Amino acid sequence: MLGNQPIIVLREGTKREKGKNAQSNNIAAAIAIADTIKSTLGPKGMDKMLVDTTGDVIITNDGATILKEIEIEHPSAKMIVEVAKSQDAECGDGTTTAVILTGELLKQAQDLLDQHIHPTVINSGFKIASKKAIDTLDSISIPLSLTDVKLLEHIAKTSMASKSARSAKEHLAKIAVSAILTIHEKEKENIKVDLDNIQIQKKQGAGIEKTEMIKGTILDKKRSHPDMVTHVKDAKIALIDAAFEIKKTEVDARIQIQDPTQLQAFLDEEEKMILHLVQKVADSGADVVFCKKSIGDLAEHFLLKKGIFSIASISESDMKKLAKATGGKIVANIDDLSKKDLGFAGNVEERSIGDEKMIFVTDCKNPKAVSLLIRGSTEHVTDDIERAVHDALSVVKLAVEDQKITAGGGASAAEIALVLRNYSLTVGGREQMAIESFANALEIIPKTLAENAGLDPINMILELRSEHKKGNKYAGINVDKGVVDDMVKLHVVEPIRVSRQQIFSASEAARMILRIDDVISSKGSASSMPSGYGSDVGDFDE
Ligand code: ADP
Ligand code: MG
């Protein structure tokens, strides 16, 4: 107020919510999102049927997929979706847990706020707790050796336990592990796995058990000429990034031809040049040509006559995969092509898959790129298998890169909760309460697993706590028998990075939401919240 004159800062119609109200609303919205997907957690979790505006149906229990499909309005709820998104981008698995954990941290924070604990104190307590939690996770992790294929398969199976693909998980786990072990690369001390080197193709019409890994590449293409052979054994492959055609000039050039002999000479010259290119390929010893650009009719004819199998117009990414798989080099100038540039594949063949034709480049020696051909009876099945395989590949990749695993089934969360409770005593003050609340929040993981398995969550948590107090740090929820059990013995194991990222991003998001004490929303914004806030949501990298 200036004298009696009110100062108007915000535009007319702007809504504003301050202090406790703003905080509670944000927290409530975030908790609502977490509650929506809670029932899908774990092997006994339920599925959600999502119907979009056009009536398309997705049935899934994949947290990332659910949050991607449903339309969320509230901005702080959108921040929770960001948690799922970052979990998916960093780890490819564990999204449901990350969201549930964020929701529970906020629920615990709300209790503290109700007891008049200042958000700043909660914030710093959560920060201390999350650091301690991540350190503890590291100290209870188990080293993994890359030769332990069985253990890697258990990691894959744990990630698929909650998917509809679980009936075929033995088979899919074997495929995922061998794919990752085939393509992993050493970079100095570190092991790197680039999932881009695993190509995934889906074709419905056969059982899941027909899903296979191919040491090579699958091209969604046909032979360029029907007279061409359908199968080349021990193929020597030229990878070419140039057209088998006489280049058209950039400018319109016109050649004046006065008599028929000149025309013939011109055509002869063109033929000679094309023949020269084809001869170059033949001289290199290649019997297969994969070409990124086009192959003209004349070139096709000569290639066919020389018995060279050729495919044109292959995408850049497929060319790269072919190079990695066959060990060949992509050559830009056909004149430079020589024997040492050629790649190798035991078989190059056109196969019929369902009612379509595809080119299989298989049995490559030491491939650094492989393909998975996913089969299932219907499109819904192949889509869900793809999601399951994506999770399996992701976790095996993380395990191979970090070579550290942790116990699943809520075991790690329960152990960290125990450590945090003891630790909070040494911190004291009001932050102690926040650290204890963080510990309580972590227990939402075993609690929800138990609840979804139809067990009594309170009893299970009490039993779990007592086992951990006795020193059983791998004790978690055996969802099949309904008892507390050693998760490592049950082979319920996960790569360390999944839990680490969950704790990290859940606590970051919860703290960010807690710091907000003022929500100013411009007139007309759909959610009556600031526009642009948390936008661009729902775009997952899968
Ligand atoms: P998320 O999206 O968080 O990965 P999931 O539905 O895949 O959610 O469930 C993952 C949780 O299920 C993890 O806590 C994992 O440890 C647990 N889990 C997986 N298999 C088992 C099992 N056989 N017994 C108990 N818990 C399991
Ligand atoms: Mg999972």
Side-chain angles (χ1 to χ4, degrees):
M1 294 276 236
L2 197 68
N4 279 336
Q5 204 66 30
I7 303 173
I8 299 169
V9 179
L10 299 173
R11 199 155 62 117
E12 197 186 338
T14 305
K15 277 196 203 144
R16 186 162 182 188
E17 242 177 301
K18 280 203 277 192
K20 280 229 158 86
N21 244 347
Q23 232 147 22
S24 303
N25 281 344
N26 280 340
I27 291 174
I31 292 172
I33 292 292
D35 282 345
T36 314
I37 61 166
K38 230 178 195 173
S39 66
T40 68
L41 185 77
K44 303 283 175 178
M46 305 293 272
D47 291 348
K48 301 262 174 206
M49 181 186 259
L50 307 167
V51 188
D52 71 10
T53 43
T54 58
D56 279 346
V57 174
I58 298 181
I59 297 173
T60 183
N61 71 2
D62 188 72
T65 310
I66 297 166
L67 293 179
K68 182 173 75 174
E69 294 296 328
I70 56 180
E71 281 173 32
I72 290 168
E73 284 262 308
H74 196 283
S76 83
K78 284 185 179 177
M79 288 172 70
I80 302 279
V81 178
E82 288 293 329
V83 172
K85 241 174 110 171
S86 74
Q87 180 75 28
D88 199 42
E90 296 290 325
C91 300
D93 188 24
T95 49
T96 314
T97 308
V99 169
I100 294 176
L101 187 57
T102 316
E104 191 62 22
L105 280 170
L106 286 166
K107 208 180 261 179
Q108 295 287 335
Q110 181 68 60
D111 287 349
L112 295 174
L113 289 171
D114 291 345
Q115 294 170 52
H116 304 291
I117 304 213
H118 197 273
T120 314
V121 176
I122 306 175
N123 220 311
S124 71
F126 276 11
K127 189 173 178 187
I128 299 170
S130 80
K131 177 160 188 324
K132 181 74 182 170
I134 289 171
D135 290 346
T136 309
L137 187 71
D138 208 56
S139 69
I140 57 174
S141 67
I142 305 162
L144 163 106
S145 145
L146 290 196
T147 51
D148 197 343
V149 175
K150 275 274 160 287
L151 190 52
L152 286 168
E153 284 173 12
H154 292 317
I155 295 166
K157 278 187 265 182
T158 301
S159 81
M160 288 188 285
S162 52
K163 305 279 177 238
S164 58
R166 59 185 156 249
S167 58
K169 68 180 182 184
E170 291 282 339
H171 179 59
L172 297 176
K174 279 202 168 72
I175 289 177
V177 170
S178 74
I180 298 284
L181 288 180
T182 310
I183 61 147
H184 80 279
E185 282 172 289
K186 266 213 171 95
E187 265 179 22
K188 290 183 197 134
E189 295 296 282
N190 297 328
I191 292 188
K192 282 295 294 169
V193 176
D194 185 354
L195 290 182
D196 282 343
N197 290 328
I198 301 177
Q199 182 198 29
I200 294 192
Q201 296 273 8
K202 291 179 286 184
K203 275 278 174 279
Q204 64 209 58
I208 304 172
E209 70 290 344
K210 288 276 185 319
T211 298
E212 57 176 326
M213 182 188 92
I214 285 143
K215 284 197 162 189
T217 311
I218 308 168
L219 302 170
D220 208 345
K221 295 236 165 238
K222 277 195 247 177
R223 287 168 300 155
S224 42
H225 200 285
D227 290 343
M228 212 176 258
V229 287
T230 53
H231 187 173
V232 181
K233 262 189 164 316
D234 296 329
K236 290 170 280 306
I237 301 165
L239 298 166
I240 293 180
D241 183 3
F244 278 84
E245 266 177 321
I246 299 302
K247 281 196 199 85
K248 295 196 180 66
T249 49
E250 296 279 327
V251 284
D252 268 339
R254 190 178 293 179
I255 304 167
Q256 290 270 358
I257 292 173
Q258 263 116 20
D259 68 79
T261 54
Q262 267 182 330
L263 178 63
Q264 196 51 47
F266 179 74
L267 293 176
D268 286 349
E269 187 59 24
E270 185 181 3
E271 195 174 311
K272 233 167 80 190
M273 284 165 80
I274 300 269
L275 191 57
H276 167 76
L277 295 179
V278 173
Q279 191 57 46
K280 268 280 164 195
V281 173
D283 289 348
S284 73
D287 45 19
V288 172
V289 170
F290 289 128
C291 184
K292 196 177 145 202
K293 304 220 167 108
S294 56
I295 299 181
D297 289 345
L298 197 55
E300 211 166 71
H301 167 77
F302 288 137
L303 285 166
L304 186 65
K305 268 176 76 178
K306 297 235 177 254
I308 297 173
F309 183 100
S310 64
I311 310 262
S313 312
I314 295 173
S315 71
E316 165 115 33
S317 67
D318 280 349
M319 283 302 278
K320 281 194 183 141
K321 284 185 188 116
L322 281 166
K324 286 213 155 192
T326 64
K329 196 175 142 216
I330 301 173
V331 173
N333 184 350
I334 301 174
D335 270 324
D336 293 344
L337 183 72
S338 75
K339 193 169 178 193
K340 64 176 187 349
D341 299 321
L342 301 183
F344 174 85
N347 291 288
V348 173
E349 63 179 315
E350 184 180 275
R351 281 193 216 162
S352 301
I353 298 292
D355 47 12
E356 274 177 69
K357 300 261 198 298
M358 291 177 124
I359 304 290
F360 282 70
V361 181
T362 62
D363 304 312
C364 298
K365 259 191 235 155
N366 259 329
K368 286 295 162 219
V370 297
S371 298
L372 301 185
L373 180 63
I374 292 181
R375 307 303 311 265
S377 52
T378 67
E379 202 181 326
H380 283 157
V381 177
T382 52
D383 284 353
D384 219 37
I385 298 288
E386 185 187 13
R387 284 192 284 270
V389 167
H390 159 264
D391 285 18
L393 289 171
S394 301
V395 291
V396 178
K397 164 199 150 96
L398 298 180
V400 165
E401 283 185 349
D402 297 345
Q403 289 156 52
K404 271 185 191 172
I405 57 166
T406 53
S412 299
E415 180 67 17
I416 296 171
L418 173 74
V419 172
L420 279 183
R421 284 198 186 98
N422 291 334
Y423 173 69
S424 73
L425 301 175
T426 67
V427 175
R430 293 193 158 203
E431 272 156 4
Q432 174 181 344
M433 291 176 77
I435 297 170
E436 274 168 16
S437 293
F438 198 101
N440 295 341
L442 283 169
E443 284 179 340
I444 192 68
I445 301 167
K447 211 184 249 171
T448 309
L449 287 171
E451 210 167 295
N452 288 349
L455 308 169
D456 183 288
I458 309 276
N459 286 346
M460 294 308 282
I461 289 294
L462 291 176
E463 201 185 325
L464 194 59
R465 281 186 191 165
S466 102
E467 283 303 311
H468 280 267
K469 275 212 183 97
K470 281 188 220 153
N472 296 326
K473 50 185 176 182
Y474 305 135
I477 309 289
N478 180 338
V479 290
D480 292 318
K481 294 208 178 119
V483 293
V484 169
D485 237 332
D486 187 307
M487 289 294 123
V488 174
K489 284 201 187 114
L490 274 183
H491 307 308
V492 179
V493 281
E494 296 164 344
I496 186 168
R497 224 188 299 173
V498 170
S499 302
R500 191 195 289 147
Q501 179 68 25
Q502 282 161 348
I503 296 170
F504 178 76
S505 59
S507 74
E508 286 270 289
R511 287 172 48 221
M512 196 191 275
I513 290 173
L514 276 176
R515 272 199 298 268
I516 301 167
D517 76 338
D518 201 348
V519 179
I520 306 162
S521 14
S522 36
K523 197 162 107 183
S525 72
S527 48
S528 74
M529 291 287 170
S531 58
Y533 182 136
S535 59
D536 188 31
V537 161
D539 181 19
F540 286 79
D541 290 336
E542 274 181 276

